Amino acid sequence: MSERILIVDDEKEIVDLIEVYLKNDGYSVNKFYNGVEALTFAQSNEVDLAILDVMLPDIDGFHICQKIRESYTYPIIMLTAKDEETDKITGLTLGADDYITKPFKPLELLARVKSQLRRYKKYNSPQSEEKEKNIIEHSGLVMNIKTHQCTLNEKAVVLTPTEFSILRILLENKGDVVSAEELFHSIWKDEYYSKANNTITVHIRHLREKLNDTLDDPKFIKTIWGVGYKIEI
């Protein structure tokens, strides 16, 4: 069964173009030109990945992202009309996994979709971690790799696929510093990284909020300035 992609953008030409590329690659597509219909569909149907435009005529993509994250963990890619850091940071903070700025090349978006789905399926497949230790524990934090669940002091912590990946990498390298570049390449594989890219920084900040952690006195994720991040043994 092909993965189902939800697309919402009020620019019909963009939606139709994305649909062509996705369908040509074997994906099932449900497209919408307004936020209300897209959100209604997302809340009552199975979806494997959502592509959300920020600027919509009724409700914006941020609101849709936030509502999806209340119930689902599948990947979300935000489309931003302008190269503004505030849009990117807002989307990532609300639970988006990636963003792409308009105008974009359809093949670039397709590559992002494949990357997100590949990682999501890897960490949600029942067979994916049979040869690895399925449970990672640290100071009341319990991460189940097989079920893609995380708890802190026996209370559920809902993580996006990207957040789960980052936390897992840091826990598996406990005691060692992992640079932002290493995290980026581990998660997005061949995606482009530069020191100006603050994607990892935003996800780390969001992780800290969910773990009730602080930058000044971290219990879990410690920033090693100029180097990267680590979880102390």
Side-chain angles (χ1 to χ4, degrees), residues 33-64:
Y33 307 115
N34 68 76
V36 173
E37 290 183 2
L39 180 57
T40 299
F41 181 88
Q43 293 177 322
S44 56
N45 293 272
E46 288 189 14
V47 174
D48 295 294
L49 182 143
I51 301 172
L52 311 176
D53 184 30
V54 171
M55 301 299 292
L56 294 169
D58 43 11
I59 57 175
D60 62 36
F62 296 141
H63 178 76
I64 300 173

Side-chain angles (χ1 to χ4, degrees), residues 52 74 77 122 140 160 171 189:
L52 311 176
Y74 57 75
I77 298 175
K122 175 182 178 182
T160 68
L171 285 170
K189 304 304 179 187

Side-chain angles (χ1 to χ4, degrees), residues 164-191:
F164 191 92
S165 299
I166 291 173
L167 185 57
R168 177 186 177 184
I169 292 169
L170 292 175
L171 285 170
E172 289 179 336
N173 291 276
K174 192 163 53 176
D176 296 328
V177 180
V178 183
S179 70
E181 184 174 3
E182 288 174 316
L183 285 170
F184 194 93
H185 287 307
S186 294
I187 295 167
W188 283 278
K189 304 304 179 187
D190 55 350
E191 297 292 342

Side-chain angles (χ1 to χ4, degrees), residues 20-35:
V20 169
Y21 276 82
L22 289 174
K23 283 190 171 181
N24 283 344
D25 222 70
Y27 296 109
S28 173
V29 176
N30 292 94
K31 60 181 181 180
F32 300 91
Y33 307 115
N34 68 76

